[in-house]
Amino acid sequence: MSATNTRHQTNGLARLRQTTGGELLAEFLGTAILILLGCGSVAVALAGLPGSGRQTADFGPANWLIIAFGWGLAVVFAVYAAGGVSGAHINPAVTLAMAVRRAFPWVKVVPYWIAQVLGAFAGAAVVYAVYYEAINAFLQEAGTQKSGDVASFSIFATFPAEYFGNGIWGPLVDQIVGTAILVMLVAALIDNRNQAPQSNFGPWAIGFVVVAIGLSFGTNAGYAINPARDFGPRMLAWVAGWGEAAMPGNGDWFSNYWWIPIAGPLVGGVLGILVYDFFIGQVLIARETPFGVEAPPPGRVPEPTGEAGTKTSSEEPVSESRPPQTSTSE
């Protein structure tokens, strides 16, 4: 290959990284990291620990702690990895919410979604390759075949609790509410007008939000709260031989479940950011003090100001000005 061709390829790659293409690469890798660590934690709890001999007694509910904290830490490090390039949406519901209320360009929404799903598929493929023997040992111990086995399929994607029967409304509402909580709290944590975490602690706070949702809403439907997190690994499971358990999402007590972890989170994400903006975001904007005027104490409404930004009362304005704050709120 000539030096000229090499230079042209290098320049083309640089241009890709400087445009939306760079953001898509970040979303791909960030979502892959999310699935690597998240689905990996489920594989540890379900097949790895029992099959490896490292778990000598039944953990019982403690296995759920492995999963909840595993997913939370997965979010932390995925956000650290991709946040500086793309904002680390790593979730189509977040991308849609940002487009609806945070001026995220609509033209980027579908490309972000595609990158997120592909990243999730790739992450799930790595988990499957690493835990291939453990999964086979789990199936052999249970005396079941991979095709249609919901227990081993749960390493990769979600299904509703048995008490929902074959109903769709319970799991759908669960996904709407869980994702609304996620996006509402993410909106709070990234809002610089509010009490946003400092010193780059934000990813940890967002990760603990996911832990909290897992501990409080996780058992209803597996708390996908992310269409890419469910659909990408679901496609991998379907390709790998889990059959109808993966697509269309059939089990003994549920059927055609595949669309619920997609539709529910998309609706919930928009609902969550609308709720945050109505109750908090727009209040913070309304209370924002003009530049050069003393900010009111927390919990108090600013006093009316004149056109020049000075108090209309007889008090003297403060001698030092403060820089205006920025925020993702509109």
Side-chain angles (χ1 to χ4, degrees), residues 89-289:
H89 294 184
I90 60 173
N91 184 339
V94 172
T95 301
L96 180 61
M98 293 297 110
V100 170
R101 291 296 298 169
R102 294 296 182 272
F104 182 77
W106 282 99
V107 70
K108 294 183 180 182
V109 169
V110 172
Y112 264 53
W113 286 358
I114 294 172
Q116 290 156 359
V117 171
L118 291 177
F121 183 94
V126 174
V127 171
Y128 179 61
V130 171
Y131 280 97
Y132 180 80
E133 287 82 3
I135 292 170
N136 285 340
F138 173 85
L139 292 169
Q140 185 176 0
E141 178 70 20
T144 61
Q145 299 295 317
K146 181 189 296 182
S147 179
D149 182 65
V150 173
S152 56
F153 163 73
S154 69
I155 292 173
F156 299 100
T158 64
F159 60 90
E162 192 168 357
Y163 46 71
F164 287 123
N166 198 31
I168 66 171
W169 290 110
L172 184 62
V173 170
D174 172 83
Q175 288 299 289
I176 291 172
V177 171
T179 313
I181 294 170
L182 171 67
V183 174
M184 178 179 64
L185 294 180
V186 167
L189 291 168
I190 65 175
D191 190 345
N192 289 328
R193 290 188 177 93
N194 208 334
Q195 300 185 62
Q198 303 299 313
S199 300
N200 205 24
F201 185 74
W204 283 96
I206 294 171
F208 276 113
V209 169
V210 174
V211 172
I213 294 171
L215 294 177
S216 55
F217 289 91
T219 57
N220 276 337
Y223 76 113
I225 58 175
N226 179 337
R229 169 265 174 275
D230 189 88
F231 189 67
R234 184 179 293 273
M235 288 294 95
L236 182 280
W238 181 66
V239 170
W242 268 273
E244 289 189 353
M247 285 298 291
N250 292 341
D252 291 340
W253 62 89
F254 59 94
S255 60
N256 295 307
Y257 185 75
W258 69 273
W259 64 272
I260 290 179
I262 297 174
L266 291 176
V267 173
V270 173
L271 178 63
I273 204 163
L274 290 175
V275 168
Y276 176 78
D277 281 352
F278 181 82
F279 286 97
I280 303 295
Q282 295 301 318
V283 174
L284 291 169
I285 292 173
R287 292 160 61 97
E288 194 172 48
T289 308

Side-chain angles (χ1 to χ4, degrees), residues 7-19 21-22 25:
R7 185 166 57 252
H8 286 166
Q9 289 183 1
T10 302
N11 291 339
L13 186 58
R15 284 194 295 270
L16 173 69
R17 289 168 172 165
Q18 291 170 352
T19 62
L25 291 174

